[in-house]
Amino acid sequence: MNQIQIKNRYTGSVIFEHATEKNTVKVTILQAIEVSADLSRADLSRADLSRADLSDADLSDADLSRADLSRADLSDANLSGADLRDADLRPIKHDLFGVLLYAQHEVPAMLEALKNGNVDGSTYSGDCACLVGTICKIRKVDAELPAAVLHLPKDSSSAIERWFMGIRPGDTPESSLLVKITTEWVEEFLSLTSPAVVA
């Protein structure tokens, strides 16, 4: 028997508890809460997970189809085998495209960094860095400079940076669902904008 608990992120009090043999539970709204549970193979289809703190959650093989993951904290979440078909990832993708529009020349190198496992969503600087940090590394500028100086939207709480928090050094499209999806988005962005980019 497995125990699933959902706790209030601010008070730590249990706001949902469920005992199950199959880790299957239907959740309709998870907003501004912290998940402290093994949700592997859980049925979270159509769940509103926007703004949910899913850091360190085991979501392996979970059904996240049609779930709203916009602004969810996925840092260190295990999404291996998770079903993300039709999950509402549009706000995250749109946020990515918005950042990449400021860095069109750096997008090919950004794509290579993703493919080679050279992204670390938890930091702005270093050999591996988050989205804005990787762009700054490609530009050879200090990522700690203000956004106005960098000419980049710099917001660690943005949908895309929260998405990137789930990416760790060494994660590639073959080993990480987040990287696979992100790589596909970047490739789509390139296909849509490449003719407009002047070398």
Side-chain angles (χ1 to χ4, degrees), residues 29-85:
I29 297 178
L30 284 175
Q31 200 158 24
I33 58 173
E34 180 177 350
V35 174
S36 173
D38 175 1
L39 295 174
S40 58
R41 294 181 299 282
D43 181 358
L44 297 171
S45 56
R46 298 181 187 274
D48 179 358
L49 299 170
S50 58
R51 300 180 188 270
D53 182 352
L54 299 171
S55 55
D56 295 312
D58 182 359
L59 296 166
S60 56
D61 299 313
D63 181 0
L64 294 167
S65 57
R66 296 184 179 86
D68 180 359
L69 293 169
S70 60
R71 300 182 70 85
D73 181 353
L74 296 167
S75 56
D76 293 323
N78 179 4
L79 288 167
S80 59
D83 180 0
L84 287 170
R85 287 173 301 173

Side-chain angles (χ1 to χ4, degrees), residues 7 15 31 56 64 81 106 132 138 142 158 169 174 186 193-194:
K7 296 182 178 181
I15 59 175
Q31 200 158 24
D56 295 312
L64 294 167
E106 291 81 12
V132 168
I138 295 164
D142 185 353
S158 69
E174 294 74 33
V186 174
T193 60
S194 288

Side-chain angles (χ1 to χ4, degrees), residues 6-21:
I6 297 176
K7 296 182 178 181
N8 182 294
R9 81 183 303 177
Y10 304 107
T11 66
S13 62
V14 176
I15 59 175
F16 176 82
E17 195 166 12
H18 180 73
T20 178
E21 291 183 7

